[in-house]
Amino acid sequence: MNRDRMLTVARTDLRQLRQARDFWLPMVILGALFFVLLPTILLLSITSVGDIQAVRQISDALEVLPERAQQAIRGDTDAGRASYALAVFLFAPVAVVVPLTIATAIGASTIVGERERGTGEFLAHSPADVGEIYLGKLIASLLPGYATTIVGFGVYSLIVNLIVGPEVGGWFFPTSEWWVLMLWVVPPFLAFTLSIVLRLSARVKSTVAAQQAAGLVSLPLILVAYSQSTGALFGAASSGWIIGAIAWVLAGVGLVRGMRSVNRSRLLGVADEQ
């Protein structure tokens, strides 16, 4: 496999995305909404209103958790404990939802889009083999979603420490569970999802059909993200490592199988065997 040809395919797709304002503007809005706006409003509401009934109810609900989970929640006041629990556990799945949404939107149209634009023939007759084309397009689909997540995660960390930090004794975020999620769980999640989405994109006949199928693929993985967050809340610190390890294995298998699904006939739009 020629790495230069693979990266050329990725750079070409990324350049087209960068020039498409109707793509990156919604991406920025989506990241700002989930990583900045909603957490800021929610956390400021809890820490500002202080000792009201709703906050006390959240704090009381935390007391039904196992002893180990309660010990992991910091803060001496109802507002502090409630805001800490929401900041650390409630928004964790968002770190998966946002990149999945962006990456699958790109991946769904990346191969079928070549056929619709009439550029698939050019790509099919290029020196790059199908494996290089497949991996190049996977990289171009994965990078925007993960980059958005990393930037959003940095901003979210700053917001949490500025708003919740004074309530729980200082800066505390990111916690170890969030580092595992961001560096160990999210990357294989994206790679595995895209390995399926690219296969769908190579088989369907329109971008709309590919995007609908990609939505169905993403939903189970979002549920897995919630289970990872729940496991951390209940003190299962190893859940993230286990889920990430499984995701890496699935991603490897998915990539190998995915490369076999792309062929020059499908890029040309003449494959009718599906």
Side-chain angles (χ1 to χ4, degrees):
M1 181 170 295
N2 187 299
R3 188 180 64 177
D4 291 338
R5 289 200 292 260
M6 178 184 68
L7 294 179
T8 298
V9 174
R11 281 197 298 268
T12 302
D13 279 15
L14 289 173
R15 187 182 304 112
Q16 293 174 349
L17 290 174
R18 188 175 66 249
Q19 295 171 347
R21 184 178 179 181
D22 56 346
F23 159 73
W24 57 260
L25 187 59
M27 184 178 70
V28 172
I29 294 174
L30 182 68
L33 179 66
F34 283 99
F35 282 113
V36 180
L37 187 61
L38 292 180
T40 300
I41 293 175
L42 181 60
L43 296 177
L44 272 179
S45 300
I46 293 175
T47 55
S48 299
V49 298
D51 189 26
I52 65 169
Q53 184 65 26
V55 175
R56 283 200 298 273
Q57 288 179 346
I58 296 175
S59 183
D60 292 341
L62 297 176
E63 294 180 1
V64 304
L65 297 174
E67 184 66 25
R68 185 175 178 180
Q70 291 189 46
Q71 291 176 354
I73 299 174
R74 296 168 56 177
D76 298 323
T77 64
D78 289 340
R81 290 175 57 80
S83 59
Y84 180 94
L86 294 178
V88 174
F89 301 112
L90 178 66
F91 289 105
V94 173
V96 176
V97 173
V98 171
L100 272 181
T101 303
I102 295 172
T104 54
I106 300 171
S109 61
T110 187
I111 295 178
V112 69
E114 296 281 1
R115 295 202 299 267
E116 290 181 335
R117 293 191 298 271
T119 54
E121 185 175 357
F122 171 78
L123 192 62
H125 291 97
S126 69
D129 63 31
V130 291
E132 293 160 357
I133 294 172
Y134 178 85
L135 289 180
K137 289 191 168 297
L138 186 137
I139 292 171
S141 303
L142 189 148
L143 281 181
Y146 194 56
T148 303
T149 303
I150 292 298
V151 173
F153 176 61
V155 177
Y156 178 72
S157 300
L158 183 62
I159 291 171
V160 169
N161 284 314
L162 289 176
I163 298 176
V164 184
E167 299 286 338
V168 298
W171 288 42
F172 66 95
F173 198 85
T175 61
S176 58
E177 291 85 359
W178 271 83
W179 283 119
V180 172
L181 177 68
M182 297 301 301
L183 301 178
W184 179 248
V185 177
V186 171
F189 255 60
L190 291 179
F192 175 60
T193 305
L194 286 172
S195 71
I196 299 174
V197 170
L198 291 184
R199 292 172 65 182
L200 293 172
S201 183
R203 290 176 178 276
V204 298
K205 297 183 181 298
S206 70
T207 299
V208 174
Q211 290 174 340
Q212 290 176 338
L216 294 176
V217 171
S218 302
L219 183 59
L221 297 179
I222 292 172
L223 297 177
V224 173
Y226 272 96
S227 70
Q228 193 273 344
S229 176
T230 304
L233 177 61
F234 281 86
S238 60
S239 63
W241 290 104
I242 295 173
I243 291 175
I246 295 172
W248 278 109
V249 173
L250 292 176
V253 174
L255 292 176
V256 172
R257 293 176 61 86
M259 278 190 284
R260 298 172 183 170
S261 71
V262 181
N263 55 50
R264 296 184 186 278
S265 296
R266 286 204 169 102
L267 288 172
L268 289 167
V270 297
D272 296 324
E273 67 271 28
Q274 67 267 30

